[in-house]
CSV table of all heavy atoms in Angstrom, one decimal:
chain,number,residue,atom,x,y,z
A,176,ASP,N,-29.5,9.0,44.8
A,176,ASP,CA,-29.1,7.4,44.6
A,176,ASP,C,-28.3,7.2,43.4
A,176,ASP,O,-27.4,6.4,43.6
A,176,ASP,CB,-30.4,6.7,44.6
A,176,ASP,CG,-31.2,6.8,45.9
A,176,ASP,OD1,-30.6,6.3,46.8
A,176,ASP,OD2,-32.3,7.4,45.9
A,177,ILE,N,-28.6,8.0,42.3
A,177,ILE,CA,-27.8,7.7,41.1
A,177,ILE,C,-27.6,9.1,40.5
A,177,ILE,O,-28.4,9.9,40.2
A,177,ILE,CB,-28.5,6.8,40.0
A,177,ILE,CG1,-28.9,5.5,40.7
A,177,ILE,CG2,-27.7,6.6,38.7
A,177,ILE,CD1,-29.8,4.6,39.7
A,178,ALA,N,-26.3,9.3,40.1
A,178,ALA,CA,-25.9,10.4,39.2
A,178,ALA,C,-25.6,10.0,37.9
A,178,ALA,O,-24.7,9.1,37.7
A,178,ALA,CB,-24.8,11.3,39.9
A,179,PHE,N,-26.2,10.5,36.8
A,179,PHE,CA,-25.8,10.2,35.4
A,179,PHE,C,-24.9,11.4,34.9
A,179,PHE,O,-25.4,12.5,34.9
A,179,PHE,CB,-27.0,10.0,34.5
A,179,PHE,CG,-27.8,8.8,34.8
A,179,PHE,CD1,-29.0,8.9,35.7
A,179,PHE,CD2,-27.4,7.6,34.4
A,179,PHE,CE1,-29.7,7.8,35.9
A,179,PHE,CE2,-28.2,6.5,34.7
A,179,PHE,CZ,-29.3,6.6,35.5
A,180,ILE,N,-23.7,11.1,34.6
A,180,ILE,CA,-22.7,12.2,34.4
A,180,ILE,C,-22.2,12.1,32.9
A,180,ILE,O,-21.9,10.9,32.4
A,180,ILE,CB,-21.4,12.0,35.3
A,180,ILE,CG1,-21.9,11.9,36.8
A,180,ILE,CG2,-20.5,13.2,35.1
A,180,ILE,CD1,-22.5,13.2,37.4
A,181,GLY,N,-22.1,13.3,32.3
A,181,GLY,CA,-21.5,13.3,31.0
A,181,GLY,C,-20.0,13.8,31.1
A,181,GLY,O,-19.6,14.2,32.2
A,182,THR,N,-19.2,13.5,30.1
A,182,THR,CA,-17.8,13.9,30.1
A,182,THR,C,-17.3,14.1,28.7
A,182,THR,O,-17.8,13.6,27.8
A,182,THR,CB,-17.0,12.8,30.7
A,182,THR,OG1,-15.6,13.1,30.8
A,182,THR,CG2,-17.1,11.4,30.0
A,183,ASN,N,-16.2,14.9,28.6
A,183,ASN,CA,-15.5,15.1,27.4
A,183,ASN,C,-14.4,14.2,27.1
A,183,ASN,O,-14.0,13.9,26.0
A,183,ASN,CB,-15.0,16.6,27.3
A,183,ASN,CG,-16.1,17.6,27.3
A,183,ASN,OD1,-16.7,17.8,28.3
A,183,ASN,ND2,-16.4,18.1,26.2
A,184,GLY,N,-13.9,13.5,28.2
A,184,GLY,CA,-12.8,12.6,28.0
A,184,GLY,C,-12.8,11.6,29.2
A,184,GLY,O,-13.1,11.8,30.2
A,185,VAL,N,-12.4,10.3,28.8
A,185,VAL,CA,-12.1,9.2,29.7
A,185,VAL,C,-10.8,8.6,29.3
A,185,VAL,O,-10.7,8.1,28.2
A,185,VAL,CB,-13.2,8.2,29.6
A,185,VAL,CG1,-13.0,7.1,30.6
A,185,VAL,CG2,-14.6,8.8,29.8
A,186,SER,N,-9.8,8.8,30.2
A,186,SER,CA,-8.5,8.2,29.8
A,186,SER,C,-7.8,7.5,31.0
A,186,SER,O,-8.2,7.8,32.1
A,186,SER,CB,-7.7,9.3,29.3
A,186,SER,OG,-7.0,10.0,30.3
A,187,VAL,N,-6.9,6.6,30.7
A,187,VAL,CA,-6.1,5.9,31.6
A,187,VAL,C,-5.3,6.8,32.5
A,187,VAL,O,-5.5,6.7,33.8
A,187,VAL,CB,-5.2,4.9,31.0
A,187,VAL,CG1,-4.3,4.2,32.1
A,187,VAL,CG2,-6.0,3.8,30.2
A,188,GLU,N,-4.6,7.8,32.0
A,188,GLU,CA,-3.7,8.6,32.8
A,188,GLU,C,-4.5,9.8,33.5
A,188,GLU,O,-4.1,10.1,34.6
A,188,GLU,CB,-2.7,9.2,31.9
A,188,GLU,CG,-1.8,8.2,31.2
A,188,GLU,CD,-2.3,7.6,29.9
A,188,GLU,OE1,-3.4,8.1,29.5
A,188,GLU,OE2,-1.8,6.8,29.4
A,189,PHE,N,-5.5,10.3,32.9
A,189,PHE,CA,-6.1,11.5,33.4
A,189,PHE,C,-7.5,11.4,34.0
A,189,PHE,O,-8.0,12.2,34.5
A,189,PHE,CB,-6.0,12.5,32.2
A,189,PHE,CG,-6.2,14.0,32.7
A,189,PHE,CD1,-5.3,14.5,33.7
A,189,PHE,CD2,-7.2,14.8,32.3
A,189,PHE,CE1,-5.3,15.8,34.0
A,189,PHE,CE2,-7.2,16.2,32.7
A,189,PHE,CZ,-6.3,16.6,33.6
A,190,GLY,N,-8.2,10.1,33.7
A,190,GLY,CA,-9.5,10.0,34.3
A,190,GLY,C,-10.5,10.6,33.5
A,190,GLY,O,-10.4,10.6,32.3
A,191,LEU,N,-11.5,11.4,34.2
A,191,LEU,CA,-12.6,12.0,33.5
A,191,LEU,C,-12.3,13.4,33.5
A,191,LEU,O,-11.8,14.0,34.5
A,191,LEU,CB,-13.9,11.7,34.2
A,191,LEU,CG,-14.5,10.3,33.9
A,191,LEU,CD1,-13.7,9.2,34.7
A,191,LEU,CD2,-16.0,10.2,34.2
A,192,SER,N,-12.5,14.2,32.4
A,192,SER,CA,-12.2,15.5,32.2
A,192,SER,C,-13.1,16.3,31.3
A,192,SER,O,-13.9,15.7,30.5
A,192,SER,CB,-10.8,15.6,31.7
A,192,SER,OG,-10.6,14.9,30.4
A,193,THR,N,-13.1,17.5,31.4
A,193,THR,CA,-13.9,18.5,30.7
A,193,THR,C,-13.2,19.8,30.4
A,193,THR,O,-12.2,20.2,31.2
A,193,THR,CB,-15.2,18.8,31.4
A,193,THR,OG1,-16.2,19.3,30.5
A,193,THR,CG2,-15.1,19.7,32.6
A,194,PRO,N,-13.6,20.6,29.5
A,194,PRO,CA,-12.7,21.8,29.1
A,194,PRO,C,-12.8,22.8,30.0
A,194,PRO,O,-11.8,23.7,30.2
A,194,PRO,CB,-13.1,22.2,27.8
A,194,PRO,CG,-13.9,21.1,27.2
A,194,PRO,CD,-14.5,20.3,28.4
A,195,ASP,N,-14.0,23.1,30.8
A,195,ASP,CA,-14.2,24.3,31.5
A,195,ASP,C,-14.0,24.0,33.0
A,195,ASP,O,-14.5,23.2,33.6
A,195,ASP,CB,-15.6,24.9,31.3
A,195,ASP,CG,-15.9,26.0,32.1
A,195,ASP,OD1,-15.3,27.1,31.7
A,195,ASP,OD2,-16.5,26.0,33.0
A,196,GLU,N,-13.2,24.9,33.7
A,196,GLU,CA,-13.0,24.7,35.1
A,196,GLU,C,-14.3,24.7,36.0
A,196,GLU,O,-14.4,23.9,36.9
A,196,GLU,CB,-12.0,25.8,35.6
A,196,GLU,CG,-11.5,25.6,37.0
A,196,GLU,CD,-10.4,26.6,37.3
A,196,GLU,OE1,-10.1,27.5,36.6
A,196,GLU,OE2,-9.7,26.4,38.5
A,197,ALA,N,-15.2,25.7,35.8
A,197,ALA,CA,-16.3,25.7,36.5
A,197,ALA,C,-17.3,24.5,36.3
A,197,ALA,O,-17.9,24.0,37.2
A,197,ALA,CB,-17.2,27.1,36.2
Side-chain angles (χ1 to χ4, degrees):
D176 293 298
I177 304 174
F179 292 100
I180 307 293
T182 184
N183 295 73
V185 183
S186 78
V187 175
E188 297 86 1
F189 202 54
L191 285 78
S192 56
T193 197
D195 181 74
E196 187 173 9

